[in-house]
Amino acid sequence: MQTETYLEEFKNEGKKPFTLRDVAWIAFVILGSFYAWTQYGGLMDQYEIGILGGTTVGLILLGRLWPSLQTLTVSVSLMVMLALWTYNSHGNVITANEEAFFLKFLLSSQSAIMWMSALFVMATATYFLALYNKSDFTYKTANFMVWAAATFGLVGMMVRWRESYIINFNYGHIPVSSLYEVFILFVVLTSLMYLFYEQRYKTRALGGFVMLVISAAVGFLLWYTFGKDAHVIQPLVPALKSYWMKIHVPANFVGYGSFSIAAMVGVAYLLTERALKKNPESSFASRMPALEAMDDLMYKVISLGFAFFTIATVLGAAWAAEAWGGYWSWDPKETWALIVWLNYAAWLHMRMSKGWRGAPMAWWAFIGLLITTFAFLGVNMFLSGLHSYGEL
Amino acid sequence: MTESKTPTSANAVPKSMKKKQPNQILNFFGSMNLAVTLLMMLSIASVIGTVLKQDESTQNYMIQFGPFWAEVFNSLGLFHVYGAAWFILVLLFLLLSTSICVTRNTPSFLKDMKQYSEKLSRAALQHQPNNTTFEGTVSLERQQEHAVALLKHKGYKTKTHIRDDGSVTVAGLKGKWNRLGYFLTHISIIVICIGALLDSNLLLKYRELTGSLEAETRTVGLDEINKNSWLGPENLSFRGSVNVADGGKTDVLFLPYEDGYLAQKLPFTIVNKQFRIKYYDTGMPKSFESDLILTAPDLDEPIVATIAVNHPLHYKNYAIFQSSFADGGTTLKLKVHPLLSPISNPLELDSAINKVEPLKTPMGKFKVEFNDFKMHNIIPATDEEKALTGHKMHNNGPTIIFKVRNDQGKAWEYENYIMPSLQEDRLFFMTGVRESQAEPFRYLFIPADANRKKDRFFKFLTLLNNPIKFMDLFTTQFPRTPDVSEKTYQLQTKLIQQLLALFRSKGFNGITEFVKSNVPEADRKQVSDYYFGQTSFALQTLYLEVLKEEGVIKTHSDEISEFDKTWFEDALNTVAGLSAYGPPMYFEVASFKQIQATGLQITKSPGKNVVFFGSAMLITGVFFLFYVRQRRVWIHIKPNAHTDLESDSTTSSSEITIAAKDNRDLPETTTEFNGLVNRVKKFNNNNNHA
Ligand code: HEM
């Protein structure tokens, strides 16, 4: 009888109950994808339909793993629908973004991206304020701002996707094909990954540090918009017209985003450690997560980034094999991806096999970001090659 | 391997207790330190490879770094890093290091994947990273039963070991795939390297070393290519390119090799029916496509396919890619204007791109090589134009690019625009000239006449070249007046003739220079003012005569239009620039028929699938490594001796030791361990109260 009790107990616990919310979520994602397919399926080749299917499954699983993503998805969908509906009711002309109220001030891709930029910068300041005044409310505000910014960023990207078709049907493409567009992808993905870790590991004191990278990227984005008119939607060069882009680029940016988070956690680690060395009772250190927790987070984020960067590099090679006839040409962008990959492979070896921890790894993670930044930006600025999108 | 019993795998044994492995060298090559050093070396080499432009001409490097450093860098292989011996050596060491690491770890890891270490003593358990000991209150059997059920529930596989002294260990293991992750990642590196090796040109290098292969460095016809530069079907892998003109065909491919190329015979023939470029409304290219027909002896039906960027054609283990385009021998009808001729006698010439034409002229023998034709020359539009048309880009129309070489071999390269383009509101025919590839083109702007042609310019120029006709004209226009003596008049006309000749050869600068070297300082200003006045006057007369011949004006005293005035100034600038234009010929394209060529890249890459198979292993392995944690738990139950004597077996007391080990210590390890301990404690407590 006793035996049965605990066996019964085991049977029931641990299984996540399947709630109504889960059913609603799955239905929402499937219906949404189906709707997208009925609307735009005619423009997709078989691979792109495969990608849509994969995205559907992936989104369902991710949403189950991380329920906040469900709220985000629903908000983004509603806002995008509103934007598309407004364009539609204005005869699907691009100038509607100057006429229709919602588009002009909120939902046209340019407005949404401006909202995103403002919110990210404000979130950075608010996170640091929260670190200073230790107020729970301030932290919640900062956290909400990041969610809102990510929402606007995603809306901006989706609407931009549609706008590229509205401007000229021939120009239409997924907005991950110019330096401007991938910067938006970068800030959105990085912020979402950070939000995930913040929720899971209760590391909100790190928010300001991570948002610093994002704000820097936003600063670049704004300079690029106003200084260089980079936001203007351009048609694609033939080399970029491929379904590979839809998976290669996002995978890459999960990598870049992770490495950026790791670097900023590294900075936070080093500052905390220094504060503790000076004064073991340091009030700054008492507000920060434990050193071991940061060290561990750094490892987790780098592992995630490394895994995705590996995938991205392999996808890139597969694409190169199809577009240029060779999976590896020692082109600068390729080579720098290899450098980034080797660097983190060495980092992971040192940690996993040699058991290195703490300050040296934090420094290394930070230097890793410099290398990553060069691979991401520097190559486009200083070296020429086959990856000639978005020269400065 | 006699020392396979060395306890590397025994989880309980601390690292410091490892027996020293006898083979020091093997140890060094398989060491982590060497591996990380090699990874870093590879990174640094790659940085050099991207920062220093690779595989350029020796001449360019000389210019960039000077002869000394160019030589040093060259001997270090820095200009061909990825093919340098030391780079290959680093790769080989990496391969060696990984292989040793894998073989060394294989036996122990395999064991580790299977074994539960259920026989570890209690003392050993108490040395594990997580361990605790507490008093149990439930009978041995029930305790054991619960432990097995709990661990199974938590996803462990279990193995129970009963000792002679009556104590029991339930050992649990989960996540053994993590170890597989280690294998997959490292073996994948070896697989990828082997794949890359299959596609490398190592065999060609070997053949070159043994003297049976040599790169062809000359640009010559197929039948003149060095016999030692030909490759046949015995070549396992290659990646090369070839241009095929519209309507043309090929069964030969060119592989870039060292400073030249090799010719690869293909087992099939490719016909290029047509190459197409489509454009966006911005003028940017939208797509590159070729309609191809592939025939091979063993094909019943030829393969007909259209390839485009990102959409290659696969045939057997060959792949055919759209990679570029070029001119395929556009035919040209040319008029060669001799720029010094006193009469209008342009030479008609029928030629084509990629042809070389000899030219015999009074100035000597020349050869013209027609190198390229471009249908579009897209440049960024000016701001005003952007505002006017809304287009960011501007098309200046077709150009031909050609070289004129004299019999000493000196060459001038030209770029001639076929249509006039707008510069500051006026139309000009641009023609660029340079004497070396390293310089940019210097442009001459030939003003278009009212009919958008060059006729007026050449009429004006021939007149300027013809002193006899000009002097005739001058003397009829301005006959000697009675107040001027015959001698003065003679001197005056002579001066004008000389001034015009000076102007024709060197422009107004020529006159300034002449004055500088022939007139004393004090008089220079006065003399040069006079000379300039006379020259302008003469040129104007000349020009008015041209206009009169055109019928634009009736007499020399008629008013001339603003357009014609500006045209005159522009024409004078152009004439002044002719002295730096090289051999005195202008090549006018009267008409052309464009023939394009598609640039195909053809590969045979037996290593590709190996590389991608390795990549798939790598990705799988990485996920196993990071997202499968290998964990072990031991629940050791040791009944207390005295309790055995009691009659009620359900409440007997025992000592429980729980230990756990993760192959990587993470914060969650301890949390999970504590959860497990609490479960066992709760079970004991509940049953105590029951
Ligand atoms: C790029 C080429 C690589 C080389 C040359 C290399 C080399 C090595 C070497 C020499 C060791 C030491 C083995 C020993 O101590 O016996 C090692 C261990 C290890 N490597 Fe790599 N590795 C490479 C790639 C990777 C990758 C991509 C990963 C995946 C992230 C990885 C993960 C590991 C792990 C986890 C260990 C420790 C195994 C253990 O002792 O538990 N390696 N590697």
Side-chain angles (χ1 to χ4, degrees):
Chain A
M1 192 219 131
Q2 289 282 351
T3 317
E4 278 160 21
T5 331
Y6 66 72
L7 286 183
E8 201 56 32
E9 204 179 306
F10 287 163
K11 217 180 257 169
N12 293 332
E13 78 167 37
K15 266 192 217 149
K16 232 172 147 187
F18 207 71
T19 60
L20 199 63
R21 178 173 169 154
D22 290 317
V23 177
W25 166 244
I26 293 171
F28 175 79
V29 177
I30 290 179
L31 284 178
S33 304
F34 184 73
Y35 177 71
W37 182 67
T38 54
Q39 286 287 300
Y40 306 115
L43 296 172
M44 301 179 189
D45 62 25
Q46 79 223 44
Y47 300 104
E48 284 162 326
I49 290 173
I51 293 171
L52 179 65
T55 312
T56 312
V57 176
L59 192 57
I60 289 174
L61 295 179
L62 269 180
R64 290 262 289 149
L65 171 74
W66 187 27
S68 307
L69 199 67
Q70 300 180 1
T71 323
L72 176 79
T73 311
V74 173
S75 326
V76 170
S77 306
L78 290 178
M79 285 163 79
V80 171
M81 290 302 268
L82 177 62
L84 295 200
W85 177 80
T86 318
Y87 268 120
N88 199 28
S89 62
H90 281 72
N92 275 332
V93 287
I94 193 66
T95 45
N97 64 8
E98 294 295 329
E99 291 155 15
F101 176 82
F102 273 127
L103 293 180
K104 183 166 180 185
F105 294 105
L106 213 58
L107 295 180
S108 74
S109 67
Q110 240 6 71
S111 314
I113 287 159
M114 285 305 131
W115 278 106
M116 174 198 83
S117 305
L119 281 163
F120 272 135
V121 174
M122 280 164 18
T124 312
T126 316
Y127 262 120
F128 278 117
L129 178 66
L131 186 62
Y132 172 74
N133 71 9
K134 291 205 249 180
S135 141
D136 195 43
F137 176 75
T138 319
Y139 268 123
K140 283 196 170 132
T141 314
N143 177 275
F144 178 77
M145 283 172 168
V146 178
W147 276 109
T151 309
F152 272 113
L154 283 170
V155 169
M157 287 178 71
M158 299 301 252
V159 175
R160 187 177 167 92
W161 197 346
R162 175 79 182 124
E163 282 173 357
S164 69
Y165 282 90
I166 290 178
I167 289 178
N168 183 331
F169 192 76
N170 284 324
Y171 290 14
H173 62 265
I174 186 172
V176 293
S177 66
S178 69
L179 201 55
Y180 173 82
E181 290 166 346
V182 296
F183 254 88
I184 302 170
L185 181 69
F186 171 74
V187 292
V188 169
L189 277 181
T190 310
S191 63
L192 285 178
M193 279 189 290
Y194 169 73
L195 288 171
F196 175 78
Y197 284 108
E198 178 183 304
Q199 222 174 60
R200 172 161 281 203
Y201 298 108
K202 313 271 174 296
T203 53
R204 58 192 191 177
L206 297 175
F209 294 91
V210 175
M211 288 304 133
L212 272 183
V213 181
I214 295 187
S215 284
V218 164
F220 175 86
L221 198 63
L222 293 178
W223 168 78
Y224 208 34
T225 306
F226 295 109
K228 299 258 168 179
D229 273 346
H231 62 288
V232 177
I233 295 177
Q234 297 279 354
L236 280 187
V237 298
L240 292 183
K241 288 188 166 179
S242 169
Y243 63 91
W244 285 109
M245 188 169 73
K246 294 188 168 72
I247 44 182
H248 168 63
V249 179
N252 240 319
F253 279 82
V254 174
Y256 288 151
S258 305
F259 298 148
S260 312
I261 294 178
M264 294 323 279
V265 175
V267 170
Y269 182 98
L270 292 170
L271 290 177
T272 312
E273 196 196 38
R274 244 180 68 173
L276 281 175
K277 253 192 204 138
K278 268 199 200 136
N279 171 12
E281 309 286 285
S282 149
S283 88
F284 168 71
S286 72
R287 292 158 208 235
M288 298 300 287
L291 287 178
E292 295 74 46
M294 289 196 271
D295 187 77
D296 180 58
L297 183 60
M298 219 152 48
Y299 164 69
K300 290 209 162 81
V301 184
I302 287 187
S303 319
L304 178 80
F306 185 78
F308 274 85
F309 203 75
T310 308
I311 295 178
T313 310
V314 171
L315 289 176
W319 186 3
E322 192 169 306
W324 304 324
Y327 48 84
W328 198 262
S329 322
W330 294 106
D331 149 85
K333 196 87 180 174
E334 256 170 26
T335 310
W336 273 91
L338 177 70
I339 295 167
V340 169
W341 189 84
L342 290 173
N343 174 56
Y344 287 106
W347 192 97
L348 287 165
H349 272 94
M350 279 318 201
R351 184 171 158 121
M352 296 201 290
S353 212
K354 288 256 147 174
W356 281 23
R357 295 284 188 282
M361 297 310 267
W363 273 109
W364 195 345
F366 179 70
I367 292 165
L369 179 61
L370 302 184
I371 300 175
T372 308
T373 311
F374 191 84
F376 174 13
L377 255 184
V379 172
N380 295 36
M381 278 158 71
F382 303 115
L383 308 171
S384 63
L386 298 164
H387 281 77
S388 48
Y389 73 88
E391 265 150 43
L392 289 173
Chain B
M1 290 276 285
T2 42
E3 67 276 14
S4 63
K5 279 192 256 74
T6 13
T8 38
S9 70
N11 304 281
V13 183
K15 282 215 160 138
S16 56
M17 283 171 63
K18 273 192 199 173
K19 229 193 277 168
K20 252 205 180 150
Q21 298 229 352
N23 200 334
Q24 293 284 348
I25 299 173
L26 223 62
N27 250 1
F28 167 72
F29 281 122
S31 78
M32 180 64 89
N33 289 350
L34 180 70
V36 169
T37 313
L38 291 173
L39 292 186
M40 286 299 158
M41 277 174 79
L42 204 57
S43 304
I44 292 167
S46 303
V47 171
I48 297 172
T50 56
V51 173
L52 265 184
K53 268 228 164 125
Q54 298 287 296
D55 302 323
E56 300 221 318
S57 70
T58 326
Q59 205 182 349
N60 274 4
Y61 288 125
M62 294 279 243
I63 295 169
Q64 236 181 316
F65 303 107
F68 176 72
W69 287 112
E71 183 51 43
V72 172
F73 289 172
N74 190 29
S75 54
L76 289 176
L78 298 192
F79 300 140
H80 313 275
V81 169
Y82 311 119
W86 60 268
F87 187 81
I88 306 284
L89 213 64
V90 170
L91 280 180
L92 287 178
F93 269 111
L94 210 61
L95 215 61
L96 185 69
S97 160
T98 324
S99 311
I100 290 175
C101 183
V102 170
T103 34
R104 188 172 53 198
N105 284 332
T106 301
S108 61
F109 279 15
L110 277 182
K111 236 166 90 191
D112 196 31
M113 273 178 78
K114 278 190 249 148
Q115 77 177 7
Y116 289 76
S117 304
E118 72 279 359
K119 290 185 185 151
L120 287 186
S121 69
R122 203 169 67 114
L125 293 185
Q126 282 165 343
H127 271 110
Q128 297 299 331
N130 291 117
N131 74 81
T132 183
T133 303
F134 55 89
E135 190 82 6
T137 51
V138 186
S139 79
L140 185 71
E141 295 90 75
R142 297 206 44 230
Q143 198 77 261
Q144 181 186 340
E145 219 172 85
H146 174 258
V148 171
L150 177 64
L151 291 185
K152 286 222 161 102
H153 166 64
K154 292 279 179 195
Y156 290 87
K157 286 202 170 143
T158 61
K159 199 164 183 181
T160 308
H161 176 64
I162 301 169
R163 260 172 269 254
D164 296 342
D165 66 353
S167 67
V168 173
T169 305
V170 178
L173 169 65
K174 110 175 175 182
K176 62 178 181 186
W177 297 113
N178 172 279
R179 286 305 192 195
L180 200 65
Y182 166 82
F183 285 124
L184 287 176
T185 45
H186 288 86
I187 292 175
S188 78
I189 299 293
I190 301 172
V191 172
I192 291 173
C193 286
I194 291 174
L197 218 62
L198 283 179
D199 286 347
S200 73
N201 58 7
L202 236 52
L203 269 178
L204 299 186
K205 290 266 181 217
Y206 172 76
R207 285 174 61 183
E208 189 192 3
L209 277 179
T210 56
S212 66
L213 196 69
E214 178 184 6
E216 174 62 83
T217 48
R218 304 162 302 160
T219 317
V220 290
L222 281 183
D223 38 346
E224 286 174 63
I225 290 178
N226 197 330
K227 283 217 172 49
N228 274 350
S229 308
W230 278 95
L231 294 167
E234 79 287 353
N235 192 9
L236 286 181
S237 73
F238 54 77
R239 180 175 171 191
S241 54
V242 62
N243 291 343
V244 191
D246 280 353
K249 63 180 181 181
T250 186
D251 59 356
V252 175
L253 189 69
F254 301 100
L255 319 179
Y257 191 74
E258 303 196 332
D259 300 336
Y261 60 90
L262 299 170
Q264 168 77 49
K265 189 98 175 78
L266 296 171
F268 51 81
T269 304
I270 290 185
V271 177
N272 169 25
K273 271 204 300 191
Q274 197 199 18
F275 170 75
R276 282 183 302 276
I277 310 180
K278 289 184 189 147
Y279 294 90
Y280 292 111
D281 56 1
T282 56
M284 270 171 63
K286 181 179 168 193
S287 71
F288 305 104
E289 294 173 0
S290 305
D291 297 333
L292 302 182
I293 303 172
L294 187 152
T295 50
D298 52 347
L299 272 180
D300 298 336
E301 289 267 303
I303 299 173
V304 178
T306 298
I307 61 165
V309 181
N310 279 314
H311 300 277
L313 166 65
H314 295 277
Y315 168 66
K316 288 193 177 165
N317 45 358
Y318 302 90
I320 299 154
F321 301 86
Q322 179 73 64
S323 79
S324 63
F325 61 94
D327 193 90
T330 293
T331 55
L332 304 168
K333 280 197 187 310
L334 298 140
K335 275 189 193 166
V336 188
H337 295 268
L339 296 179
L340 294 174
S341 169
I343 48 165
S344 168
N345 57 346
L347 170 75
E348 310 252 336
L349 183 65
D350 283 356
S351 188
I353 298 300
N354 297 334
K355 278 200 180 165
V356 180
E357 305 282 348
L359 279 185
K360 252 195 215 148
T361 75
M363 276 81 58
K365 280 190 206 158
F366 294 94
K367 270 190 189 156
V368 202
E369 304 161 8
F370 295 99
N371 303 118
D372 203 1
F373 171 87
K374 281 199 213 131
M375 193 64 183
H376 301 281
N377 284 279
I378 315 268
I379 53 159
T382 58
D383 287 338
E384 300 98 74
E385 196 183 347
K386 242 186 264 177
L388 206 67
T389 61
H391 290 326
K392 266 188 146 177
M393 294 292 165
H394 176 91
N395 188 354
N396 273 339
T399 47
I400 55 167
I401 292 165
F402 59 98
K403 285 198 194 77
V404 176
R405 206 179 284 278
N406 68 12
D407 46 8
Q408 276 103 51
K410 179 172 167 57
W412 290 263
E413 189 181 18
Y414 295 89
E415 179 191 49
N416 282 8
Y417 283 81
I418 295 173
M419 295 189 328
S421 48
L422 216 50
Q423 308 281 335
E424 300 169 10
D425 297 340
R426 281 135 40 219
L427 285 171
F428 292 91
F429 292 90
M430 294 197 289
T431 164
V433 60
R434 63 180 171 188
E435 283 164 44
S436 108
Q437 298 266 335
E439 310 169 5
F441 282 109
R442 284 172 288 115
Y443 286 93
L444 198 65
F445 295 86
I446 300 176
D449 54 31
N451 301 325
R452 304 190 158 207
K453 294 212 161 113
K454 287 165 288 223
D455 293 356
R456 179 188 286 180
F457 180 77
F458 285 113
K459 217 180 268 171
F460 179 64
L461 190 68
T462 29
L463 196 54
L464 191 56
N465 289 338
N466 192 339
I468 300 167
K469 195 169 168 202
F470 165 67
M471 287 330 288
D472 261 4
L473 169 70
F474 197 74
T475 42
T476 33
Q477 280 293 329
F478 307 101
R480 185 170 68 87
T481 43
D483 54 323
V484 180
S485 76
E486 181 67 34
K487 195 162 174 240
T488 319
Y489 186 69
Q490 285 287 333
L491 275 175
Q492 226 166 21
T493 46
K494 185 109 185 125
L495 174 68
I496 283 186
Q497 197 177 336
Q498 279 173 346
L499 283 174
L500 277 188
L502 210 51
F503 173 79
R504 171 62 189 86
S505 64
K506 289 182 188 148
F508 283 115
N509 281 347
I511 297 175
T512 315
E513 270 167 39
F514 176 81
V515 173
K516 228 181 192 169
S517 49
N518 290 297
V519 179
E521 173 98 50
D523 304 333
R524 271 186 206 162
K525 170 132 181 41
Q526 201 187 354
V527 172
S528 81
D529 280 354
Y530 176 70
Y531 280 6
F532 272 91
Q534 290 291 303
T535 315
S536 305
F537 174 65
L539 287 167
Q540 263 168 38
T541 312
L542 216 82
Y543 179 50
L544 289 173
E545 182 60 21
V546 171
L547 291 183
K548 199 174 127 198
E549 278 179 21
E550 277 185 3
V552 175
I553 51 172
K554 291 209 173 55
T555 69
H556 276 220
S557 45
D558 283 2
E559 190 64 27
I560 70 169
S561 73
E562 207 51 48
F563 172 85
D564 292 332
K565 274 186 201 155
T566 329
W567 189 96
F568 178 54
E569 282 163 26
D570 289 335
L572 293 189
N573 279 333
T574 310
V575 172
L578 283 179
S579 59
Y581 190 65
M585 286 176 273
Y586 174 81
F587 289 75
E588 177 178 8
V589 179
S591 71
F592 63 84
K593 183 165 169 291
Q594 190 191 14
I595 299 171
Q596 288 180 303
T598 182
L600 300 178
Q601 178 152 140
I602 302 180
T603 62
K604 180 161 128 188
S605 166
K608 187 173 112 174
N609 289 333
V610 179
V611 167
F612 285 133
F613 176 73
S615 303
M617 277 171 76
L618 176 61
I619 292 173
T620 323
V622 165
F623 274 91
F624 279 161
L625 258 185
F626 294 143
Y627 294 103
V628 179
R629 275 162 49 211
Q630 193 199 37
R631 269 173 289 174
R632 298 174 179 283
V633 189
W634 294 268
I635 301 180
H636 176 91
I637 311 144
K638 181 169 174 276
N640 282 339
H642 64 278
T643 52
D644 269 4
L645 302 171
E646 284 178 26
S647 54
D648 184 359
S649 65
T650 54
T651 55
S652 50
S653 97
S654 56
E655 197 177 53
I656 301 177
T657 304
I658 304 182
K661 179 183 190 302
D662 220 283
N663 76 334
R664 266 188 270 300
D665 47 335
L666 297 168
E668 44 275 43
T669 313
T670 307
T671 327
E672 277 170 21
F673 176 72
N674 291 338
L676 203 70
V677 171
N678 287 338
R679 288 301 287 263
V680 178
K681 279 187 177 160
K682 204 172 107 199
F683 172 69
N684 277 286
N685 289 344
N686 284 353
N687 285 286
N688 212 11
H689 297 310

